[in-house]
Amino acid sequence: MASEVGEIIETMNAGNHFLLSGGAGSGKTHTLIELIQRINEINPKSKIACITYTNVAADEITERANSFSVKASTIHDFLWENIKGFQPNLRKGIIELNDNIKDDDLLEDIEIQYREYVSLKNGVISHNDVIKLSNYMFSKHQLLSKIINDKFDYIFVDEYQDTSNEVINILFKNLNRKDFSLRIGLFGDSMQSIYKDGIGEIETTELINKDSQRKLIEVPKKLNRRNPQLVIDLANSLRNDKLEQKALPNSLAPNIDKDGTVKKGNLTFLYSSSGIHKLEDIKKSKYCYNWDYENYDKNGKPITKILLTKNAEIAKYAGFNSLFDIYTKDKIVCSGYVKRIRDFLKTTKTTYHIESITFLELLDVLIKGEINSKLTFKKGLELIKNEILNFDTIQKAINAVDKIHPGIKRILPTGAMYTYIVQNSALFDIALFMQFDDLSSIFVNKEKLIGKKKSKNSDSNNRNDEKDRFIKHLFKIQEIVALYENKNINDLLKKVDFKIHLGKHKSILKDKLDELSQLTRLKIKDIVEFADSSGILKLDSKVSDFISTKSYLVERINRIDFLELINLYNYTEGLSPYSTQHGVKGDEFDNVLIVVKKEKIPNLNICFEYLFESNLSEEKYFKMTSNLFYVACSRAKENLVVFYDDECSKLVLNKAKEWFGERNVVNLDS
């Protein structure tokens, strides 16, 4: 039993809460599981709530704890489970928290539901709303806190640093009462706070109510069980607090050799000022050439991980770039031309019945009704084409057409949209002949393609997986193929629609699956049609409805090679050697290659140039990048290579030499 478990038990017995603080690779989740087991030994009837950041983490705790005493779930699911029964109060909270919602917008018979999308007037809330609404409910209704106290003896929060201020407020302002027996435990590491809405570092002395008579006691966990010595040294250099990790010689930890000594490991920083060296060159270099990029460890995880910053880069290298472009670069639907027309409709005085006409019919009606012209939309596109010869930009050609037909450019596409439409004329024709109501309901972004890694908790999976229904259907097909190829027959038979009633049916199914496996080199359309016609996975009514109402999007997807879908599936399920740096938190791999650039990424608050140049002018960028780099580097169990894929200043090189050691900083141009 870890010494920290004993210290935690003593802390709770003294009437206090605790914060287990440990660096990467220290085994915090291992300590959490040991603590649960120890509590069960002391009192088998104890009720424990474990709340985590992801469904996958909740699944892991449930499996490893193997105890009926434990209820593991995400933070959002935990909160929703405890407030969803108070419907009148939820309805009142939504009205009070949202200025645009009034009493008559939310009828009493509307049930407030938690889904992956928001529709407040229909009583549907999403992830952010759950947090805000929970904070409101706990602050307004003390009974909620008492119910939690009666329901649970312990609440443990895994990866507390990713928890929002509102959740911490609920725990330590509402649930931390001196008349409650509930004990609260936090597990995490402030240096691994990599999300904008996470609380990050906690000041234990400032968190507790003055009248609660309880303290939040920090229990440090300084051992490192994962990383070799060189990576431990680097990680300690990256930390900005007093916690300094060390390995334990002569232990059974993974980072200890058979002779009882700490593994040394390999640490390298590569750069190329010329810019001619790219990722594929690095993989073939002497620093990485003998790494295993294809196989998996005993836990089914890749032996090697290549960490990039953005999903767009991964789509390129992992082989699903065309699919990614559909969901991120379309200039017709969503935020493209269709949105331009939707926005234009808001400015018109006339009401147009868009639910009963096609996109093309609407455009013709708008040109006729708004600018009083007999010109058709397609004729307008032809006029632009004719004018392009006279101007150096397409936008100037559009402006010239507008002089002849004043006001038409408000309805015509912009220059960039026009270029995209010409390049994708066949697809644009599909859009033109769709009902405008259906077309305008299509929403695409990378979450609709990538979603979240699948959870074994079916309820959470349905609510939190944001992937499009058609993409989910394609994932089901690939899952069936993977189960068949891995000879996992029991799980396979649960997934296929083909039913086995007679002995010969097994042979028929095998033949069909053999054929499906061989067809995976074809287009997505071919695979979907074969899976349906063969009875392996039929198109249900919801998927069929998606196909008919979102034909523009489905047509685009159908033209892509199914191999891209396989690559996407492998990436989202953690089976690809590629990942974002955010996506590997909690994981570990023998070999880790991190690619960093100096560009500033505002939506992530990331800028590696700031980190390596110790530029504190924008502290949020420096802190978030520092934490992300710490997380990425600390995944390595054997070898760590960092490739600075950009021009290196003297400040960058000096910092690299300080952290990695001068002999481990290599100019690839030399």
Side-chain angles (χ1 to χ4, degrees), residues 328-347:
T328 58
K329 295 183 179 180
D330 195 297
K331 286 185 170 59
I332 296 175
V333 299
C334 195
S335 59
Y337 186 39
V338 171
K339 182 179 184 299
R340 178 173 170 82
I341 297 302
R342 279 206 318 268
D343 291 344
F344 177 76
L345 286 170
K346 295 174 184 177
T347 68

Side-chain angles (χ1 to χ4, degrees), residues 430-494:
I430 294 173
L432 287 176
F433 292 102
M434 280 184 65
Q435 294 291 112
F436 184 72
D437 222 19
D438 289 341
L439 190 64
S440 61
S441 71
I442 295 175
F443 178 72
V444 292
N445 62 19
K446 61 181 175 58
E447 283 74 27
K448 289 288 183 181
L449 176 71
I450 295 173
K452 294 180 175 66
K453 186 176 179 181
K454 184 179 61 182
S455 165
K456 295 176 184 176
N457 182 330
S458 58
D459 291 337
S460 295
N461 191 40
N462 289 337
R463 179 162 57 242
N464 295 321
D465 189 352
E466 299 175 0
K467 288 191 291 290
D468 270 340
R469 191 170 294 279
F470 190 58
I471 295 295
K472 289 180 184 179
H473 183 75
L474 297 177
F475 268 45
K476 287 180 181 178
I477 296 176
Q478 174 51 25
E479 186 177 14
I480 288 170
V481 173
L483 289 170
Y484 181 63
E485 292 177 345
N486 293 325
K487 297 181 172 56
N488 191 340
I489 304 303
N490 289 333
D491 287 343
L492 170 68
L493 294 177
K494 297 175 186 176

Side-chain angles (χ1 to χ4, degrees), residues 226 301 305 453 583-589 634-636:
R226 174 193 299 154
K301 295 179 180 178
K305 271 291 184 181
K453 186 176 179 181
V584 292
K585 191 171 168 188
D587 275 332
E588 56 187 26
F589 312 95
S634 57
R635 302 306 101 194

Side-chain angles (χ1 to χ4, degrees), residues 20 203 289:
L20 182 83
E203 289 291 339
Y289 81 93

Side-chain angles (χ1 to χ4, degrees), residues 19 26 63 78 106 124 147 203 216 236 278 281 291 307 352 354 361 363 388 402 509 525 582 585-586 606-607 648:
L19 185 158
S26 61
E63 290 179 2
F78 173 80
L106 275 176
V124 179
I147 290 172
E203 289 291 339
L216 179 63
N236 285 336
K278 298 303 178 185
D281 300 320
W291 290 7
L307 305 183
Y352 295 94
I354 61 173
E361 288 170 340
L363 293 170
I388 287 173
D402 190 65
L509 177 59
K525 179 182 175 70
H582 287 81
K585 191 171 168 188
I606 298 298
C607 181
C648 275

